[in-house]
Amino acid sequence: MQNREIASMLEEIGMMLSLDERPTARFEVRAYQKAALTVSTLQEPIEDIFNKGGNRALMELPGIGKGIAESISEYLKTGTMSKYENLKKKYPSKFMELSRIEGLGPKKIQALYSELGIKDIKGLAKAISKHEIAELPGFGEKSEEVIAKGLSMLEKSKGRILLGEALPLAESLASQLMKSGLIDKVIIAGSIRRMRETSGDIDLLALSDHGEEIMDRFVKLPEVEEVVVKGQTKTTVSLKAGVTCDLRVIPKSSFGAAVQYFTGSRDHNIQVRTIAIERGYKLNEYGLFGKNGKLIEAEDEKVIYSKLGMDWISPEMRESRGEVKLAQEHKLPELVKISDIKGDLHTHTKETDGADTIDDMAAAAISIGREYIATTNHTKSLFIAKGMNDRQFKEFFKTVDSLNERLDGSFTVLKGAEVDILKDGSLDLEKETLSSMDCVIASVHQNLKMDRESMTNRIVKAIDTGLVHILGHPTGRELLIRDPYLIDLESVFEAAERNLTALEINAQPSRLDLNDTNIASAAQYKIMFSIGTDAHRTTHLEFMRYGVGTARRGWLPKEQIINAMPLKALKRWLAK
DNA sequence: GCCGTTTTCGGCCCGACTGTTTTCAGTCG
């Protein structure tokens, strides 16, 4: 899969072109940026597209025409892209690396090179330590300081945090702002609202008439590390958590447009804006404007979509994956909601690597409105997690039985395991033990570095035992830490379909596995899904919302989710 | 360099904010 590499080269070409003096260069910059975006968001390997249909197929992609298609095919065939190489001779800096530092764009990066010979972060760090930056024309004390901060920020966090960290943080900031009493409403916008798995920044929008006072309070919140930019309508701070946070104060009349605009994604907005133009409107973050240029006041973004002849689109769907067309045709799917969730089929207890007892887990689940959970401890091969053997499961299930008796049907604990899929594809417990359980999750935890074919065979073999109700975290990735293991998901989906095995959407913030696009691919098959928190303590049961968000990003309705079923129906399904 | 259900030429988003300017350039979203 060379998508990321090619997207990054196109992006960098764009940056280098922005140093070009020709008056049309800035439009070429946009063209390359757009092409880079297209390639980076492709759902399939670009080499597959090229192999199937050549340059012509590449040119079908939005923003890719004759020139860029040729560059891409040249790269796929020869491993180099002459357009890129030529520009690189002129501008040797590592633009992609350096531009990740807040406050550094193409022009400044080039100035650093031509004045000081700085090409990369290493060189930059050196120059900062010698205080050489402040002396440069166009730079100064302040800019050196900003760059130094940006550098340490980048090193600290790599600039992105998990949804499971970003959302609570944003909620905390929002509620503190609300407490000021100066704000009518505050919305968490941006990628967090779309429930993206990681976020590079936090976008807050406040409806208020007291811009200045709010900004004063905002920059003093305890989560704030430093003020980057402070104005009356927009303030940017960097947070101790390692990301930046933008707060915008917006008047009532354009609040709806602002919410729409800052929720994104960029591609989705481009599509919506195009529709606005077609219908004689103009849409930007300040509002929807009619033919006469007059602002159509809207406090709610629903007004905007409706004026444009579209149904309101859930933020999780706004990724330019066909949702705009469906909204125009009034055919949007009804997505699963957190309130549809009846139970949690992936939980652990202190018998293995969990922190709490089954009684505590059940009580916690009851308190957040669940009707059932499955207790699914690890199995013996997972030594580090104190995995249990067949006998230990039998013992433990006696405890579960007595708990269920006490609960007397008001709540049910299903008996299960998260059984390890061993290296050869066999399962880590006896067949009799497994078939006696209500709910068996099978997962890969060890020997992750297999080649694609072996890993695929291993997992397919496990599913084909017919003993597996749910395939746990099917790709094994750990966000920001570890890539998925090599696996042919299509074969796994086929196996899941023929064995009536559900695929898990693991709701742990560091997993979210399957991810949104995998879910969308899997949903093409007759497959059910289970959103499980993988809770290792009572508080983890709250992770469900991240799993639901991910399911929504994969466009799933509640009918495809087994833990949205009432207990009776679920038991029937599991028995099959 | 891309794109087109008014176009194969002539458009392509632009405003907020900051620092280093002395009226503006660069960055960001």
Side-chain angles (χ1 to χ4, degrees):
Chain A
M1 184 102 154
Q2 301 180 66
N3 300 22
R4 191 183 292 225
E5 223 171 312
I6 290 174
S8 158
M9 291 177 90
L10 295 174
E11 184 82 42
E12 190 163 2
I13 289 175
M15 290 191 193
M16 295 190 278
L17 282 171
S18 65
L19 303 165
D20 199 314
E21 305 274 294
R22 286 175 302 129
T24 57
R26 66 193 193 96
F27 300 114
E28 293 175 31
V29 172
R30 289 195 59 78
Y32 276 96
Q33 285 171 341
K34 182 148 193 269
L37 191 70
T38 296
V39 175
S40 71
T41 57
L42 281 178
Q43 301 302 309
E44 57 181 316
I46 193 162
E47 55 267 38
D48 288 1
I49 297 175
F50 176 68
N51 289 337
K52 270 183 237 160
N55 275 16
R56 190 181 296 264
L58 294 177
M59 286 168 68
E60 297 278 302
L61 302 171
I64 294 180
K66 196 156 171 279
I68 294 181
E70 269 167 19
S71 284
I72 293 173
S73 61
E74 182 200 355
Y75 181 76
L76 289 173
K77 281 187 287 193
T78 68
T80 56
M81 192 185 290
S82 37
K83 175 94 187 173
Y84 178 83
E85 302 300 332
N86 290 337
L87 282 163
K88 210 79 217 138
K89 276 178 207 151
K90 208 166 161 190
Y91 310 112
S93 297
K94 292 185 177 169
F95 288 83
M96 293 305 288
E97 181 176 305
L98 288 166
S99 67
R100 284 166 61 206
I101 293 170
E102 186 85 28
L104 277 189
K107 304 270 168 68
K108 285 191 173 164
I109 291 174
Q110 178 58 13
L112 289 170
Y113 173 72
S114 58
E115 299 290 331
L116 293 173
I118 293 169
K119 279 196 274 197
D120 51 22
I121 287 195
K122 232 171 144 186
L124 183 67
K126 218 181 204 174
I128 287 173
S129 67
K130 288 196 265 176
H131 289 292
E132 292 176 332
I133 310 271
E135 309 300 320
L136 296 180
F139 291 74
E141 282 297 334
K142 195 82 190 192
S143 31
E144 179 171 297
E145 215 173 283
V146 168
I147 292 170
K149 282 281 188 238
L151 189 64
S152 71
M153 186 94 174
L154 182 71
E155 281 164 353
K156 189 164 98 191
S157 68
K158 291 193 178 134
R160 292 193 83 78
I161 59 173
L162 300 174
L163 176 62
E165 192 182 350
L167 180 54
L169 180 55
E171 284 168 344
S172 160
L173 295 169
S175 80
Q176 291 177 76
L177 290 173
M178 279 307 285
K179 277 189 201 137
S180 71
L182 299 163
I183 294 179
D184 295 324
K185 188 154 44 170
V186 54
I187 296 266
I188 300 163
S191 54
I192 298 177
R193 184 158 182 248
R194 302 199 311 279
M195 299 294 275
R196 266 195 63 173
E197 56 200 32
T198 61
S199 292
D201 64 359
I202 295 176
D203 283 302
L204 298 176
L205 306 176
L207 173 50
S208 172
D209 298 321
H210 306 87
E212 213 156 341
E213 285 171 75
I214 289 162
M215 296 310 188
D216 286 342
R217 282 182 182 248
F218 177 56
V219 298
K220 289 193 193 108
L221 293 179
E223 288 89 346
V224 173
E225 179 161 87
E226 196 186 2
V227 181
V228 180
V229 181
K230 181 162 177 272
Q232 283 188 31
T233 60
K234 184 202 163 191
T235 291
T236 302
V237 297
S238 56
L239 300 175
K240 289 171 185 161
V243 290
T244 58
C245 176
D246 287 346
L247 172 64
R248 290 180 168 79
V249 174
I250 292 148
K252 203 170 185 168
S253 56
S254 51
F255 197 73
V259 170
Q260 197 284 325
Y261 183 88
F262 288 109
T263 297
S265 67
R266 196 166 79 178
D267 273 11
H268 172 87
N269 283 355
I270 289 170
Q271 280 195 38
V272 173
R273 197 162 53 226
T274 309
I275 290 166
I277 293 166
E278 281 166 11
R279 293 183 157 233
Y281 296 104
K282 189 181 112 172
L283 178 63
N284 56 33
E285 66 264 51
Y286 304 103
L288 181 65
F289 299 89
K291 290 185 182 74
N292 48 12
K294 203 169 157 227
L295 173 69
I296 297 162
E297 299 201 358
E299 186 182 332
D300 191 322
E301 61 171 3
K302 290 196 164 116
V303 176
I304 313 266
Y305 283 99
S306 134
K307 285 273 178 201
L308 299 178
M310 300 157 72
D311 290 339
W312 178 80
I313 301 172
S314 299
E316 295 93 334
M317 291 185 77
R318 300 185 197 173
E319 296 289 349
S320 185
R321 295 176 184 157
E323 73 282 2
V324 169
K325 186 150 177 279
L326 291 180
Q328 286 181 301
E329 294 166 349
H330 310 293
K331 285 183 186 162
L332 286 169
E334 182 149 347
L335 306 180
V336 59
K337 301 186 294 288
I338 186 83
S339 56
D340 295 326
I341 298 299
K342 302 272 197 300
D344 193 334
L345 300 178
H346 192 162
T347 68
H348 296 269
T349 64
K350 74 187 207 4
E351 274 70 19
T352 57
D353 61 344
D356 295 307
T357 64
I358 185 62
D359 288 52
D360 291 340
M361 295 298 283
I366 292 167
S367 75
I368 58 172
R370 306 278 181 264
E371 294 169 17
Y372 54 83
I373 59 171
T375 180
T376 53
N377 274 320
H378 289 294
T379 56
K380 56 184 188 291
S381 288
L382 207 57
F383 302 111
I384 43 167
K386 296 194 292 175
M388 305 196 300
N389 61 28
D390 296 74
R391 189 183 49 77
Q392 289 167 315
F393 270 101
K394 257 181 213 137
E395 277 301 307
F396 174 59
F397 286 161
K398 287 183 193 162
T399 319
V400 178
D401 282 335
S402 82
L403 171 60
N404 275 329
E405 252 169 63
R406 270 178 283 137
L407 291 165
D408 195 24
S410 63
F411 181 88
T412 301
V413 180
L414 298 166
K415 288 174 279 186
E418 182 182 17
V419 60
D420 255 57
I421 300 175
L422 303 176
K423 202 170 177 182
D424 64 357
S426 60
L427 300 175
D428 194 26
L429 287 177
E430 297 295 329
K431 188 176 171 190
E432 294 72 50
T433 312
L434 290 170
S435 48
S436 74
M437 291 181 181
D438 301 314
C439 180
V440 174
I441 305 175
S443 308
V444 168
H445 291 112
Q446 290 164 324
N447 300 110
L448 306 178
K449 290 192 172 139
M450 294 169 91
D451 64 75
R452 177 183 300 256
E453 201 189 338
S454 310
M455 183 59 93
T456 306
N457 291 340
R458 174 183 179 182
I459 292 178
V460 167
K461 185 178 162 195
I463 296 173
D464 278 336
T465 61
L467 297 166
V468 178
H469 297 110
I470 301 166
L471 178 65
H473 43 76
T475 78
R477 71 164 176 179
E478 234 180 298
L479 282 162
L480 306 180
I481 294 172
R482 183 176 77 209
D483 281 337
Y485 32 70
L486 297 170
I487 187 169
D488 170 21
L489 280 177
E490 301 288 322
S491 301
V492 173
F493 297 161
E494 283 164 16
E497 188 174 45
R498 70 174 170 266
N499 287 286
L500 289 179
T501 298
L503 299 178
E504 183 176 67
I505 299 169
N506 189 295
Q508 283 278 337
S510 60
R511 288 196 184 267
L512 296 178
D513 178 10
L514 294 175
N515 73 8
D516 52 355
T517 55
N518 294 154
I519 292 167
S521 312
Q524 307 290 316
Y525 296 77
K526 278 178 82 176
I527 290 182
M528 298 291 280
F529 298 83
S530 168
I531 309 177
T533 62
D534 203 349
H536 281 68
R537 54 181 64 238
T538 55
T539 50
H540 289 181
L541 293 167
E542 304 277 1
F543 291 159
M544 188 58 75
R545 61 174 173 161
Y546 308 122
V548 171
T550 303
R552 290 168 64 86
R553 289 178 59 82
W555 296 22
L556 288 187
K558 69 172 179 191
E559 288 75 17
Q560 269 177 281
I561 291 167
I562 58 175
N563 55 312
M565 295 177 179
L567 181 63
K568 247 189 186 169
L570 173 71
K571 276 184 158 172
R572 264 202 308 275
W573 188 88
L574 290 169
K576 274 202 287 191

